[in-house]
Amino acid sequence: MNCQRRSPNRRPAPSRGRLLRVEHLEDRQLLSGVPGDFNDNAVVDAADFTVWQDLWGSTTALVNDGGLGVPIGSAHYELWKTNFGHVPVTEPDPIEAGDYTVQVPSSAGGEFGIAVRVFHPATDEARYSDGAPIIVDVQGGWSAGRVSASGSSTDESAHGFVRIEFMLPGGSFGDVTSGGEYDIRGPDSIQALADVLSYASGELADMSGALITDQIPFALTDQVGILGGSNGGNLALATLAEHGATLSSVRWFVAWESPIGDQYAAIELNDNPFYTPGTCTATTCPTPGLADALFWMPLATTSPVNFDTGNWSFPGAIGAKSADGTLLKVFDKFPAAVTGNATGVQLYPTVEFGEAIRDAAMTLFPPLGNPPPWLVTDEAEIAAYWNYRDGAVRIPEVHALLPELLVIHVGTVIDHVQTQPDYPHAASHIQAWLDVGHNFVRVNADAEYLSAVSGLAAAQFLDNEANQPIPYPGSEDLMLAEKYDGTPVGAFANLAAMLELADRAHEGVTDTNLDAVIPLD
């Protein structure tokens, strides 16, 4: 990595450190470092006025006189008056790289709060001279997440970042547990992430009463970024839409192959013969003719998508067939929500597939067109469900609240879930930002940062311009290869994107293309 790194300045933290003293070997005395503290008791108060008054006109030097010397006069009084109430500035003790775990208060976490694990660099390894930026990792899938083991080494910490991991409400992994109940990335999950971001921003203390800067004095709480891994991108965007007004410290967002949109999160378009590549808008992908092809498969089963609470499976599934009866696709997995009814959970199709189901209801569910109790088909219920889980429809709100948010979508030739050749999840994500006139969004990190992190030549990487749509044909050309000179792209793609956006935010650089890694002041 050839990015510049400078040792951070020590930042004030009254609960830590040692008093700084400087002694001049002359008749002027400057001891505690607090000008006007004439009795050197570490505070400028009324007692110092008495000392000045008693020595008025004399040639006896006062301590902490700011270099005024003798004789004692009105300038010493003005010094005392100006600094009345001041105490010594302290310097935080250097800390070694490490991690700690806390519970952050949240209404979504009940009396136990939200479990948070924080990894940090050593004081002198912070990325910038004024401290370390903060990354909040929002994990993908549909589960309550996981955290790295204490003592783990993270790439972000090695590059001078503070990295925050957490468990969503009701989640437990290893030795950490969050309170509350898991709502499968619904409103409680959004609230939990908002509170974790508030903790990262220095606005919310943990349940012991400590702020992040009490643990890491050099943490830059006004330089917070989000890494949304896969479906974590949708949760991140929904959270910023709901709480962005109080999260101005969030400066950037990296989405790793995130399925931003309900049809991608539900993996609806894979192998879908009714979808024509290149036809998606920012928020929807048409599938003409799908409703007419749907039929009920009573011997099949349907289950939740990637749902880790219970082994749920329901009789029957929806299929699609051609006019000659050839089976084209089976829709047997849907996102879920926990319910209090007899089914335990209910499954939610996408807004688009829900419309197709309603259009074909009489054929699918004769004689009255009533679906099984575990399948939600009501238009309003489906829309409400996806309002919390579809980041694409929330981007206009995020833009309105955080217009300077820097955005990168990390995409590779072989996506971990999506299979359509036009990479519609990436194209729609970029297009949604462009449609609202967002200031900075791009596909993958600048080639200079990919080079700096990987150690490979910048010429090996396509240097995508920012603020450009993803075309089709030609979508694949903008994606990163799976390996470069034998090095898996996963080893550096996200890190390069995070470094670029953190540096841009810190240095105020929004150029659409870079000729070199941004110099750090």
Side-chain angles (χ1 to χ4, degrees), residues 321-346:
K321 59 185 177 182
S322 65
D324 64 5
T326 302
L327 180 63
L328 300 175
K329 185 173 175 64
V330 178
F331 298 88
D332 57 359
K333 289 186 181 296
F334 299 100
V338 177
T339 68
N341 63 23
T343 64
V345 299
Q346 285 185 298

Side-chain angles (χ1 to χ4, degrees), residues 209-367:
L211 294 169
I212 189 171
T213 47
D214 293 325
Q215 300 273 11
I216 312 169
F218 55 88
L220 296 179
T221 55
D222 63 344
Q223 300 282 324
V224 178
I226 297 174
L227 171 61
S230 189
N231 196 33
N234 283 307
L235 177 57
L237 289 173
T239 302
L240 294 178
E242 296 276 335
H243 299 276
T246 60
L247 294 173
S248 60
S249 60
V250 178
R251 309 290 299 280
W252 51 267
F253 168 53
V254 171
W256 173 74
E257 297 189 350
S258 292
I260 305 296
D262 60 341
Q263 289 169 294
Y264 317 122
I267 320 177
E268 182 180 296
L269 296 185
N270 285 6
D271 304 316
N272 191 325
F274 298 91
Y275 171 65
T276 300
T279 60
C280 290
T281 67
T283 57
T284 189
C285 298
T287 51
L290 176 60
D292 295 335
L294 297 182
F295 73 103
W296 185 248
M297 303 174 66
L299 300 182
T301 59
T302 301
S303 59
V305 172
N306 199 20
F307 184 44
D308 64 353
T309 304
N311 297 313
W312 300 97
S313 181
F314 300 102
I318 296 174
K321 59 185 177 182
S322 65
D324 64 5
T326 302
L327 180 63
L328 300 175
K329 185 173 175 64
V330 178
F331 298 88
D332 57 359
K333 289 186 181 296
F334 299 100
V338 177
T339 68
N341 63 23
T343 64
V345 299
Q346 285 185 298
L347 306 187
Y348 287 78
T350 65
V351 171
E352 295 79 4
F353 194 55
E355 181 179 0
I357 293 174
R358 290 191 298 275
D359 290 345
M362 297 304 294
T363 301
L364 280 170
F365 315 117

Side-chain angles (χ1 to χ4, degrees), residues 355-425:
E355 181 179 0
I357 293 174
R358 290 191 298 275
D359 290 345
M362 297 304 294
T363 301
L364 280 170
F365 315 117
L368 301 178
N370 295 324
W374 47 265
L375 181 63
V376 177
T377 60
D378 180 79
E379 182 178 6
E381 287 186 61
I382 292 173
Y385 177 87
W386 283 107
N387 188 56
Y388 294 116
R389 298 166 176 87
D390 177 356
V393 300
R394 309 305 297 270
I395 284 175
E397 298 169 82
V398 180
H399 168 71
L401 294 169
L402 300 168
E404 303 304 317
L405 185 76
L406 304 171
V407 180
I408 286 181
H409 185 105
V410 175
T412 59
V413 170
I414 303 176
D415 188 90
H416 71 294
V417 173
Q418 309 298 322
T419 60
Q420 288 290 352
D422 58 339
Y423 302 86
H425 61 299

